[in-house]
Amino acid sequence: MANEYLLEMTDITKSFPGVMALDKAHLRIRPGTVHALMGENGAGKSTLMKCLFGIYHKDSGTIHLDGEEVSFTDSAMALQHHVSMVHQELNQVPNQTVIENMWLGRYPTRYGIIDHKQLVKDTQAIFQSLDLNINPNAKVGTLQVAQKQMVEIAKAISYHSKILVLDEPTSSLTEKEVEHLFSILETLKKQQMGIIFITHRMEEVMAISDDVTVMRDGKTVITASIKEITQNDIIRYMVGREIGERYPQKKVQPHGSLLKVENLSSKHPAFEGVSFELKEGEILGISGLVGSKRTELLEALFGCRQVGTGTISLRGKEIKNRTPLEAMQNGFAMVTEERRSNGIYAHMSVEFNILISNLNKYTRRGLLSNKLMAKDANNVIQSMNIKTPSYKTPIATLSGGNQQKAIIGRWLLLGPDVLLLDEPTRGIDIGAKYEIYKLINALAEQGKGIIVVSSEMPELFGICDRLLVMSNGRQSAILYPEQTDQVEVMEAAAKYV
């Protein structure tokens, strides 16, 4: 008789210095199902999965796979037992090809030589089964974030997985790409795979999941069939209380002219002919499909990308942001999309990551003042509600959402006039999102201008005064959320594709 559960994790406990990360947590996955794993950042979701995958060694508890007790000492052992995990922060080798990343460390050989024909054949077979249109010989570093995500999923499936863990797999995907991923998951369900789906997007949980488990403070709060639970129930279990509106009310109206961008183009033609005005107290959203050059526009504004033509003016005076340092001196700040690769100093402390852009402020007679640094770091930790044992804790040990809050806090200390946010709430739970929205509103109330790139349409409609839509490197529309709908935005996003 087949086991009712493909995976059973029972009474899993794991502690780190100063924090109990998991407290007798449990999780049971049925074959042929998508099981949503929900919880706020720091609830223990990723830690539980890392204990399953052998990245962390549990302190106590048991794990049964297909009825047999297992305890993986490392990720290689987990993969050998057909347990795969696609992490939220992708670990890829950018200078190697898609094929090389797919089969790294396990190339097929013939007569002791790598069998390139077999490599291509195996890769194409997996891509075909998943309906992926990605060049296997392309360097991974040249791919869009969404394509990199799909390559990682294909790689995980190549291990003939029984259990597939997806940590925030849709955070960089467009609606169409999410639909494609969901069709892939339906195919995998038919193969009796158990899929653990970690996400903060409620609509997706209700659409694709069969079961849901909610964690809070390292404990399992509830497991239920998706048919027997509502979105509001899940949110209440996650936060331990009722939650009201998902988007805070904005108290100020945009006024005066802060930033004017005219006919802006980047040098290696990524985008062209972008013109807009940003008012004081305005939140301007930038929407578009993956590849529409939304990020490239922010990079040009912040001096990370060379401007070809056009002008940027701040309060009526033309400025040149030729480097990020120059942009910072001109009152610009930018939170990047890829937190791990270009947002944090992973092995340094939370304090270091918060203060690194503003160290001159803490210098007294040529020496850094530890007292002043500790004060500001702790103020940011408290105001942003960053869950960390100490300001001296390495930031890499924090959950993704808490890392993101530390990065935003870093820039807020600079008091910028223009804040550029690229996917600021990617991988962040509902409670933390609300806190970030309140911070954005507070900055707007101070007369700052905020530009937000987001792939989440409800977010853009919920927090923005206006929407600038990009389509294949060109500006296709400027819309007002209260006068438009998601269909019109998507039509504008596809205008030049």
Side-chain angles (χ1 to χ4, degrees):
M1 182 180 169
N3 294 303
E4 182 183 358
Y5 297 105
L6 189 57
L7 173 70
E8 291 183 88
M9 303 182 74
T10 308
D11 292 337
I12 306 297
T13 299
K14 177 66 181 175
S15 61
F16 299 101
V19 61
M20 174 74 82
L22 295 174
D23 186 2
K24 293 188 175 180
H26 53 269
L27 180 68
R28 298 190 297 185
I29 308 298
R30 297 183 293 126
T33 62
V34 172
H35 194 118
L37 184 56
M38 306 287 291
E40 293 194 276
N41 291 111
K45 308 180 301 294
S46 293
T47 303
L48 185 63
M49 291 300 95
K50 287 175 181 178
C51 286
L52 167 64
F53 202 54
I55 297 170
Y56 293 156
H57 297 160
K58 63 187 185 313
D59 297 334
S60 61
T62 59
I63 302 173
H64 286 84
L65 182 64
D66 239 349
E68 291 186 15
E69 185 170 350
V70 294
S71 185
F72 306 137
T73 55
D74 54 35
S75 55
M77 189 176 178
L79 290 165
Q80 287 166 10
H81 285 78
H82 311 294
V83 175
S84 299
M85 183 172 178
V86 177
H87 299 270
Q88 182 184 350
E89 306 294 350
L90 304 178
N91 291 305
Q92 294 172 316
V93 186
N95 292 326
Q96 290 194 328
T97 65
V98 169
I99 287 180
E100 288 166 338
N101 272 271
M102 282 273 296
W103 305 99
L104 194 64
R106 53 191 180 119
Y107 298 132
T109 58
R110 192 176 183 190
Y111 308 122
I113 300 170
I114 293 174
D115 189 343
H116 289 281
K117 254 187 189 176
Q118 191 64 43
L119 270 177
V120 174
K121 185 179 176 184
D122 291 346
T123 304
Q124 288 177 336
I126 293 170
F127 280 12
Q128 190 173 352
S129 72
L130 301 178
D131 193 24
L132 296 183
N133 184 23
I134 297 173
N135 179 3
N137 295 310
K139 294 284 179 67
V140 163
T142 66
L143 301 181
Q144 296 288 335
V145 175
Q147 293 175 311
K148 293 177 183 177
Q149 186 88 41
M150 287 300 189
V151 169
E152 279 297 284
I153 291 170
K155 179 179 178 179
I157 290 166
S158 75
Y159 285 95
H160 307 290
S161 308
K162 293 178 182 177
I163 294 289
L164 175 62
V165 182
L166 300 175
D167 192 354
E168 296 288 350
T170 64
S171 59
S172 302
L173 305 184
T174 62
E175 256 182 68
K176 189 175 180 182
E177 288 160 340
V178 170
E179 287 176 17
H180 182 198
L181 173 63
F182 284 2
S183 71
I184 290 171
L185 298 187
E186 291 293 346
T187 300
L188 299 177
K189 279 170 60 174
K190 290 172 185 172
Q191 298 170 16
Q192 294 304 295
M193 190 183 293
I195 299 151
I196 301 172
F197 188 77
I198 301 175
T199 184
H200 294 301
R201 295 183 174 181
M202 287 292 165
E203 296 79 9
E204 294 175 358
V205 170
M206 306 310 288
I208 193 64
S209 304
D210 300 287
D211 302 312
V212 59
T213 289
V214 179
M215 295 185 69
R216 188 173 73 243
D217 299 328
K219 299 175 182 177
T220 300
V221 180
I222 189 173
T223 294
S225 165
I226 205 70
K227 295 174 184 175
E228 299 169 354
I229 199 166
T230 67
Q231 284 192 41
N232 287 339
D233 290 334
I234 293 172
I235 293 170
R236 190 175 69 252
Y237 285 123
M238 282 171 60
V239 300
R241 57 183 168 78
E242 296 288 349
I243 193 162
E245 293 294 319
R246 289 174 69 174
Y247 304 102
Q249 195 70 33
K250 191 163 175 272
K251 296 177 183 176
V252 297
Q253 291 298 317
H255 54 277
S257 180
L258 176 64
L259 179 72
K260 196 168 186 179
V261 174
E262 296 180 281
N263 198 33
L264 197 69
S265 303
S266 67
K267 266 204 165 171
H268 305 289
F271 66 87
E272 60 183 1
V274 174
S275 299
F276 66 89
E277 187 174 20
L278 181 69
K279 296 181 179 181
E280 294 182 3
E282 182 174 22
I283 303 170
L284 175 69
I286 300 185
S287 184
L289 305 173
V290 170
S292 63
K293 310 305 181 188
R294 300 169 302 173
T295 294
E296 287 80 356
L297 173 57
L298 292 198
E299 289 174 346
L301 293 173
F302 194 60
C304 300
R305 181 176 291 273
Q306 274 192 309
V307 169
T309 60
T311 59
I312 302 170
S313 301
L314 187 67
R315 292 196 170 93
K317 180 184 176 183
E318 186 176 341
I319 58 170
K320 302 285 186 185
N321 289 347
R322 286 162 291 214
T323 65
L325 181 59
E326 202 168 8
M328 288 162 61
Q329 290 167 345
N330 285 326
F332 286 69
M334 180 172 173
V335 176
T336 60
E337 177 185 9
E338 286 300 296
R339 177 172 56 241
R340 184 167 181 171
S341 60
N342 52 28
I344 64 168
Y345 297 85
H347 301 297
M348 303 301 288
S349 67
V350 176
E351 177 192 43
F352 179 90
N353 276 274
I354 289 172
L355 306 180
I356 183 59
S357 296
N358 205 21
L359 288 179
N360 289 339
K361 177 182 174 182
Y362 310 104
T363 304
R364 297 292 181 271
R365 296 175 185 172
L367 297 172
L368 288 170
S369 168
N370 289 329
K371 187 177 179 181
L372 289 174
M373 290 168 69
K375 182 183 175 184
D376 268 6
N378 280 317
N379 283 343
V380 169
I381 288 167
Q382 288 170 17
S383 65
M384 301 289 290
N385 195 22
I386 299 169
K387 293 179 182 176
T388 176
S390 160
Y391 66 94
K392 292 295 185 184
T393 300
I395 198 169
T397 65
L398 271 58
S399 67
N402 284 306
Q403 291 176 8
Q404 186 77 323
K405 286 194 277 185
I407 296 167
I408 293 174
R410 173 199 301 167
W411 292 114
L412 296 188
L413 283 174
L414 281 174
D417 292 315
V418 179
L419 183 60
L420 311 172
L421 303 173
D422 196 353
E423 302 285 2
T425 64
R426 178 184 169 198
I428 292 179
D429 62 70
I430 285 172
K433 280 184 178 181
Y434 192 84
E435 290 168 14
I436 288 172
Y437 299 149
K438 285 201 299 184
L439 282 163
I440 292 171
N441 279 357
L443 285 168
E445 287 165 21
Q446 294 169 26
K448 312 295 185 186
I450 298 101
I451 301 177
V452 180
V453 167
S454 177
S455 299
E456 293 191 40
M457 199 80 74
E459 178 172 85
L460 291 174
F461 274 78
I463 67 171
C464 296
D465 297 294
R466 289 187 301 156
L467 302 178
L468 186 157
V469 187
M470 295 289 290
S471 178
N472 198 25
R474 295 164 69 184
Q475 178 178 330
S476 62
I478 291 183
L479 305 168
Y480 289 84
E482 67 273 14
Q483 297 171 9
T484 188
D485 57 24
Q486 294 192 26
V487 173
E488 187 177 4
V489 174
M490 289 306 294
E491 287 173 350
K495 185 174 182 180
Y496 299 119
V497 174

